[in-house]
Amino acid sequence: MPHGTAGGGEDGPVDCAEALSRLFEFLDQEVDESQGDRIRQHLADCEPCLAEYDVEDHLKKLIRRSCTEAAPSELHVRIRQQLTVLRTQVRER
Ligand SMILES: [Zn+2]
């Protein structure tokens, strides 16, 4: 596992702006696995990011956007699980 060297690049850690901008896709599982891992890693590593985004707001938007293709309650549960995992990781550091 690479240890956070600041250098950028495709495989480097994502910064706050990128993590937040992709959070949406990440929660909706629209990013591929390696991207998702980088975002998850950043969020687990960066409490301000985790605290910053408005979970309920994202949930509402996601559910509104996805309600034609997925059962909202299912999506809701799925996202909550993701967030629970993230928060657990933060706490365990
Ligand atoms: Zn951050």
Side-chain angles (χ1 to χ4, degrees):
M1 198 183 254
H3 227 261
T5 43
E10 288 279 302
D11 298 321
V14 297
D15 60 19
C16 291
E18 190 181 352
L20 288 174
S21 74
R22 310 203 84 151
L23 185 69
F24 217 68
E25 303 159 64
F26 166 64
L27 289 176
D28 209 17
Q29 300 190 337
E30 284 177 6
V31 294
D32 64 41
E33 230 171 275
S34 62
Q35 285 288 334
D37 276 354
R38 288 166 68 208
I39 294 167
R40 183 165 36 231
Q41 208 169 350
H42 178 90
L43 292 174
D45 227 32
C46 185
E47 289 192 47
C49 263
L50 201 53
E52 170 142 347
Y53 68 82
D54 185 333
V55 175
E56 292 301 325
D57 189 54
H58 277 280
L59 273 177
K60 277 184 228 148
K61 282 180 191 160
L62 271 179
I63 286 165
R64 200 180 309 139
R65 198 185 59 173
S66 307
C67 65
T68 52
E69 51 196 69
S73 59
E74 251 175 63
L75 186 67
H76 210 269
V77 168
R78 207 172 68 191
I79 292 170
R80 287 236 178 258
Q81 283 169 345
Q82 294 258 28
L83 291 170
T84 301
V85 170
L86 280 172
R87 293 232 147 92
T88 304
Q89 286 173 344
V90 168
R91 235 177 272 127
E92 281 174 352
R93 286 179 68 218

